[in-house]
Amino acid sequence: MHFILYTEKTVSESLRSITERLQTKGTASRPGLDGWIDKSGMFSISVSAPVIGNIPRRTNLRGKLERENGYTLVRGDVPSGATPAGIGAMLGGMGLVALILLNSGNSLLAMAVVPIAVILFVIMRGDDKNSEYLLDELMKMLRAKETPPKVTTKRASAPAAAVRVPAKPTAAKTSTTVKPTASKPATSKAPKSGASVSKPAAVPVSRQP
């Protein structure tokens, strides 16, 4: 199974965390891990846990750390095994094969199916449990998640609000006073030529004798 995880730790911090976990002694509830790390970012962790009685299964996880876009990318692979439902279907199919072989007279081959089924069960069931445990431990030690973290970027400062400067009051335009024009005296118009002018009547003068 291929997986991708994301962590905010650097590559060196992640390798240091893996080293510390490998050096931690295991307990009944938390088995210890084995593995190695490389300065290039490569690492490997493994765990061994019993599956049937004292029959253990060791599962190995390999991965690589790479720094990208402000966070560390963890790529790796681990055997995922099979779920109980898948294992049940597999065992049912193998049992059917064993019955067919018995009916055909191949009893030895039918008996050989039994240990093969046990081995496959240990491998598939062991990898299913161990892969889940290894991924959980890896996410805890690296504080990793399946989704990339949000990288906080400084927002560009908004431009300062434009201060509206009031316009300077414009000087009032001086009103131009209109000087009154002196009225010209009315002049009598000369009579037109050809107009008749009445002459005063002559006063008779009386002569004394």
Side-chain angles (χ1 to χ4, degrees):
M1 176 181 65
H2 183 73
F3 64 87
I4 299 177
L5 300 175
Y6 305 86
T7 178
E8 295 182 352
K9 289 187 175 184
T10 63
V11 174
S12 59
E13 290 173 346
S14 300
L15 292 176
R16 192 180 305 116
S17 298
I18 295 174
T19 302
E20 292 175 358
R21 179 64 181 90
L22 293 176
Q23 294 174 352
T24 303
K25 293 183 179 180
T27 61
S29 59
R30 193 182 184 189
L33 300 178
D34 297 325
W36 51 266
I37 63 170
D38 188 79
K39 292 181 179 180
S40 63
M42 299 288 294
F43 68 93
S44 174
I45 57 177
S46 62
V47 65
S48 179
V51 181
I52 302 176
N54 294 326
I55 302 178
R57 170 60 179 169
R58 177 172 292 278
T59 306
N60 185 36
L61 180 151
R62 291 176 178 269
K64 185 176 182 180
L65 304 167
E66 294 177 342
R67 193 70 177 173
E68 291 184 7
N69 300 326
Y71 52 82
T72 299
L73 189 64
V74 188
R75 290 191 180 94
D77 295 280
V78 60
S80 58
T83 61
I87 294 174
M90 179 199 68
L91 294 178
M94 296 190 71
L96 182 61
V97 171
L99 290 176
I100 294 174
L101 291 174
L102 284 173
N103 291 333
S104 62
N106 295 323
S107 57
L108 292 177
L109 291 177
M111 295 297 295
V113 173
V114 176
I116 295 174
V118 173
I119 293 172
L120 291 177
F121 176 81
V122 171
I123 293 174
M124 299 179 74
R125 182 57 182 159
D127 286 344
D128 181 53
K129 294 172 59 178
N130 292 343
S131 62
E132 184 177 355
Y133 177 74
L134 289 172
L135 283 174
D136 288 342
E137 288 296 313
L138 184 62
M139 293 174 71
K140 288 179 182 177
M141 69 179 76
L142 300 183
R143 297 177 185 175
K145 297 181 180 180
E146 295 180 351
T147 55
K150 295 180 179 179
V151 181
T152 57
T153 56
K154 295 183 179 179
R155 294 182 178 178
S157 57
V163 180
R164 192 172 184 179
V165 180
K168 294 183 180 180
T170 56
K173 293 182 179 180
T174 56
S175 58
T176 57
T177 56
V178 180
K179 294 182 180 181
T181 57
S183 58
K184 294 182 179 180
T187 56
S188 58
K189 293 182 178 179
K192 293 182 179 180
S193 59
S196 61
V197 180
S198 59
K199 294 182 179 180
V203 178
V205 178
S206 61
R207 294 182 177 178
Q208 291 180 1

